[in-house]
Amino acid sequence: MNKRVVRYRDFVLLALFTAIIFVLGMTPLGMIPLGLIKATSVHIPVIIGALVLGPKYGAVLGGVFGLVSLISNTVQPAALSFAFSPVIPVYGTSSGSWLSLIICFVPRVLVGVIPYYVFKLVQKLFQNHDKAEYLSCGIAGVVGAVVNTGLVMSLIYFLFKDAYATMKEVPVDAVAGVIMGVVLTNGVAEAIIAGVLVSVIGKVLLNLKRKQKA
């Protein structure tokens, strides 16, 4: 397969993953009900895209994820939307903060980069064995989900701790515990879902990519 065809194929896949991110991020399809909580699945196409297309395209998809989050939190604001959109007033104040853009974009771009290198590292440990790709994809999916939830909630703590405490009606010194609770509920559920879906879908797409090269 020549470089022009490969580039065209990658752009088509990039467009496809971008469309999926927008659909998941702008509709209830991106939220998976799990009893008392809802787990997001928007980061999953970002991770899969990174594994299939590489970290550069993965970073682009992560940026798209951040953009969708920005749009969604601006157009349909929720209680915590001030942490993702500078247009939404920070809880307890009358104006928004540009710091929300850090939370909105930095973790999401890294979701499109870090899993790729985790995948490559695990594959190297297994000497690039084909059957090990299920495990490598699964671990990459888990890491991507952890990066997303962990970084987002950590940045909320460091950048908007007081506002978060006001929103939750808890003392400031209790915010760390509340955030840890979110990480251990939503975060764990999202990591498990990402691990399973990225393992299966990622493996299928990687196999198709290899067949096209043959």
Side-chain angles (χ1 to χ4, degrees), residues 8 20 42 59 61 66 102-103 117-119 137 143 157 171 181 196 211:
Y8 177 76
I20 293 172
V42 187
L61 291 171
I102 297 176
I103 299 175
Y117 291 105
V118 170
F119 170 80
C137 288
V143 170
Y157 175 79
V196 173
K211 287 181 180 179

Side-chain angles (χ1 to χ4, degrees), residues 16-30:
L16 177 61
F17 284 122
T18 297
I20 293 172
I21 292 168
F22 265 95
V23 170
L24 292 178
M26 301 300 292
T27 70
L29 294 174

Side-chain angles (χ1 to χ4, degrees), residues 26-49:
M26 301 300 292
T27 70
L29 294 174
M31 301 302 293
I32 302 173
L34 297 172
L36 297 177
I37 63 173
K38 289 184 178 181
T40 182
S41 59
V42 187
H43 56 287
I44 293 175
V46 178
I47 299 169
I48 296 174

Side-chain angles (χ1 to χ4, degrees), residues 153-210:
M153 297 310 298
S154 295
L155 287 171
I156 288 174
Y157 175 79
F158 287 112
L159 300 179
F160 294 110
K161 179 169 59 175
D162 292 341
Y164 192 84
T166 302
M167 183 194 74
K168 288 290 187 179
E169 298 183 342
V170 298
V172 175
D173 57 7
V175 171
V178 175
I179 285 179
M180 185 58 67
V182 173
V183 172
L184 292 177
T185 51
N186 289 47
V188 171
E190 289 167 5
I192 293 172
I193 293 169
V196 173
L197 292 180
V198 174
S199 176
V200 176
I201 300 173
K203 173 62 175 173
V204 170
L205 292 180
L206 287 171
N207 284 342
L208 288 174
K209 185 177 180 180
R210 272 193 296 269

Side-chain angles (χ1 to χ4, degrees), residues 74-93:
T74 301
V75 176
Q76 298 177 321
L80 194 55
S81 290
F82 66 84
F84 302 96
S85 172
V87 177
I88 306 302
V90 176
Y91 213 86
T93 73

Side-chain angles (χ1 to χ4, degrees), residues 2-20:
N2 61 51
K3 290 183 179 180
R4 186 175 181 179
V5 174
V6 170
R7 188 176 302 172
Y8 177 76
R9 179 203 63 192
D10 288 349
F11 273 122
V12 170
L13 287 175
L14 180 67
L16 177 61
F17 284 122
T18 297
I20 293 172

